[in-house]
Amino acid sequence: MSPHRRSAPPRRPAPAPATPEYVTLAVGAPAHGGHCVARPVDDPSGRVIFVRHALPGETVRAVITEKNSKIWRADAVEVLTASPDRVRPLWQDAGPGGVGGGELSHVALPAQRTWKRWVLADCLRRIGGAEVVDAVTALPGAAGGAVSVEPMPGDAAAEADPNPRVRERAGAGTRTRVSLAVTDAGAAGMHAFRSGTVLPVHSLPLAVQAIQDLGLTERALWRKHFRPGMRITAVAPSDGDPLVLLEDPDAPGQAPTVLTAAGHSTGRRRVGEAVDATGLGLGRLHYSVHADGFWQAHREAPTVLVDRVVRAALAETPTAAGTRPGDEPLDAARTAGTRVLELYSGAGLFTLPLVALTGQVHSLEGDARAVGDARRTLHDYDGAQLSVGRVTPAAVAQLGRFENADGADVVVLDPPRRGAGREVIQAVAALNPSRVVLVACDPAALARDLGTFLRAGYRPAAISALDMFPHTHHFETIAVLERG
């Protein structure tokens, strides 16, 4: 259930020893990637081992899963001293030796967000350096560079529900997109952690109810459609019934077979998505996207991100907090005419509200089909110039100029996991926008990119982090920067 577009295929790590090797570990702080830093209990200054399925402060018995000259990894298979933040795992299939994608489901939800806050602070310190930490620390509520990771609204409500069963399921049932693979035995499965091996799965607790109700992991209805090596994508759009897409491994490049919830073939290739932009004064926004195209996976993510990113870009006072009680909608009369450059624009999630409020947006996205989706959604907006191509310094320089050679007033970037990079950021800074909004799905890339922006003369004016991927180590960060 990968949360990100453009994700790399599973890596094949160095194999673990043929005979299982066990070690007793004292578990320390979390590390980026869903591990904790641990050392052997009988050698506190010995080799660092990155252990999964553990918690800071625990003592665990672990099996070595990867061992090379640079790094050792392990899975905790027995908890000898448990953390008070340990809970019954939400998803057994993602436990030790299991599939990737639910590596924090043994951690209480509030502690998951503390885990992510520690990871973000650590990345800002180690990768961004003292200058980045100092700049972030200067922001309200970010002492020591530690930015709180906020729950999504529905997850927060579930955590506060008086019903213990609802509380226990907080953070579950949120994914509107699920990617699976078919095992050699013809069952629905997922890749083992850092492996090309496909393991069967028996439940999909992170998926929304509409996808769980399909019964992909247990119903014979689907088995007759599955072939070993096939990729399965289940989609539950906000408008319309769910779809199941099957990609044949023996026909690369061929359009996937699309099935209805009843397992019948359909010619339906697109889905409708709706986003509530009432807080911005835009009402309900409607999008048309390919069923197997990229769309934010958490059911609330499109609405929350649109609200936060667009308000961050266009509000008079820089903010990454989104619409708060008592806030007025954005004043379209004031924002009209603001020149916006949007990079890595995808299917137009932000482009639509940005152009609705400003009248002029230049966007750039490398996926031609995503740009086609955006054009379908934005066909009534003449002020949206949607371009296909790689985000390069030359492309930024060209698209960042508007009529009369004026540069963009605001630049919005939502790069893939690797980040925007030094050259693109320098090209953005050369346009001299008054404000930049950076959306980051990887804290290490965020730290690098923030460092580059600081050296280019920009300073963070606001930052927020969102737990858009509960029960995994992933989260999203929004940073607002202005000229120093």
Side-chain angles (χ1 to χ4, degrees):
M1 291 191 230
S2 173
H4 304 299
R5 61 177 172 177
R6 307 179 182 92
S7 57
R11 290 175 287 180
R12 295 182 181 273
T19 301
E21 180 180 349
Y22 293 91
V23 60
T24 302
L25 299 173
V27 184
H32 182 34
H35 305 79
C36 285
V37 178
R39 296 180 190 270
V41 293
D42 57 358
D43 189 5
S45 60
R47 170 179 282 278
V48 166
I49 299 175
F50 292 94
V51 62
R52 300 174 79 235
H53 312 295
L55 273 155
E58 291 187 332
T59 304
V60 300
R61 184 168 181 260
V63 61
I64 301 296
T65 57
E66 182 179 346
K67 194 174 184 180
N68 58 47
S69 59
K70 293 184 178 180
I71 192 169
W72 287 19
R73 300 181 193 272
D75 277 3
V77 294
E78 182 181 358
V79 180
L80 304 177
T81 304
S83 163
D85 292 321
R86 179 174 284 275
V87 296
R88 184 178 65 176
L90 175 78
W91 192 14
Q92 298 292 340
D93 289 328
V99 302
E103 63 277 1
L104 296 189
S105 78
H106 65 291
V107 184
L109 212 53
Q112 291 183 30
R113 296 193 291 271
T114 299
W115 177 305
K116 296 174 186 185
R117 176 170 59 85
W118 287 351
V119 168
L120 177 55
D122 180 61
C123 286
L124 293 176
R125 177 184 57 80
R126 287 188 304 103
I127 300 170
E131 187 180 13
V132 169
V133 172
D134 289 345
V136 173
T137 299
L139 300 174
V147 178
S148 295
V149 178
E150 304 171 48
M152 300 296 277
D155 298 334
E159 286 182 83
D161 196 283
N163 186 332
R165 292 187 178 182
V166 174
R167 293 198 303 272
E168 187 178 80
R169 300 287 296 176
T174 64
R175 300 286 186 85
T176 64
R177 267 76 177 162
V178 172
S179 293
L180 305 169
V182 179
T183 69
D184 291 341
M190 292 178 64
H191 287 95
F193 177 66
R194 291 175 57 84
S195 171
T197 301
V198 179
L199 302 176
V201 293
H202 305 92
S203 64
L204 299 173
L206 302 189
V208 294
Q209 193 61 50
I211 290 178
Q212 294 186 46
D213 289 345
L214 293 171
L216 293 170
T217 62
E218 65 271 12
R219 293 178 64 192
L221 162 69
W222 300 108
R223 284 284 190 124
K224 67 181 182 182
H225 294 288
F226 293 166
R227 302 290 180 271
M230 182 177 281
R231 181 181 176 185
I232 309 165
T233 302
V235 179
S238 54
D239 286 344
D241 296 327
L243 294 175
V244 176
L245 290 76
L246 306 178
E247 295 181 47
D248 187 343
D250 297 324
Q254 179 177 303
T257 300
V258 184
L259 304 176
T260 66
H264 301 145
S265 181
T266 176
R268 183 179 166 203
R269 299 281 167 181
R270 310 182 68 83
V271 296
E273 296 287 355
V275 171
D276 182 1
T278 304
L280 303 174
L282 297 175
R284 195 168 174 85
L285 304 176
H286 295 275
Y287 299 77
S288 174
V289 296
H290 276 84
D292 56 341
F294 175 77
W295 189 254
Q296 291 288 344
H298 192 290
R299 63 187 176 192
E300 295 178 317
T303 289
V304 172
L305 284 174
V306 161
D307 182 72
R308 293 207 179 203
V309 171
V310 175
R311 192 169 279 274
L314 301 178
E316 290 189 79
T317 302
T319 177
T323 303
R324 292 302 193 214
D327 285 348
E328 295 292 331
L330 293 180
D331 182 356
R334 183 189 62 80
T335 59
T338 303
R339 300 179 295 269
V340 179
L341 172 64
E342 184 190 2
L343 305 174
Y344 315 98
S345 54
L349 176 63
F350 304 139
T351 320
L352 175 56
L354 286 170
V355 75
L357 287 164
T358 68
Q360 46 185 345
V361 176
H362 292 180
S363 72
L364 180 61
E365 164 60 44
D367 185 337
R369 193 174 64 165
V371 176
D373 288 343
R375 285 179 176 148
R376 179 184 288 253
T377 295
L378 288 145
H379 62 86
D380 289 334
Y381 292 90
D382 295 335
Q385 179 182 318
L386 313 179
S387 300
V388 181
R390 289 181 57 242
V391 177
T392 64
V396 171
Q398 179 181 356
L399 289 174
R401 297 296 173 184
F402 288 70
E403 292 183 7
N404 303 318
D406 289 329
D409 299 308
V410 176
V411 178
V412 176
L413 307 91
D414 185 7
R417 192 173 299 174
R418 65 178 179 273
R422 178 176 56 85
E423 293 182 348
V424 167
I425 289 172
Q426 290 174 341
V428 168
L431 297 173
N432 198 34
S434 60
R435 188 177 297 177
V436 174
V437 181
L438 173 64
V439 184
C441 62
D442 182 274
L446 170 73
R448 286 192 296 269
D449 286 351
L450 282 179
T452 305
F453 270 116
L454 286 171
R455 291 186 289 274
Y458 283 82
R459 290 291 181 272
I463 189 167
S464 67
L466 294 166
D467 191 14
M468 282 174 34
F469 312 104
H471 301 297
T472 81
H473 70 276
H474 299 288
F475 58 97
E476 203 90 357
T477 308
I478 300 167
V480 186
L481 301 108
E482 294 192 319
R483 272 289 180 193

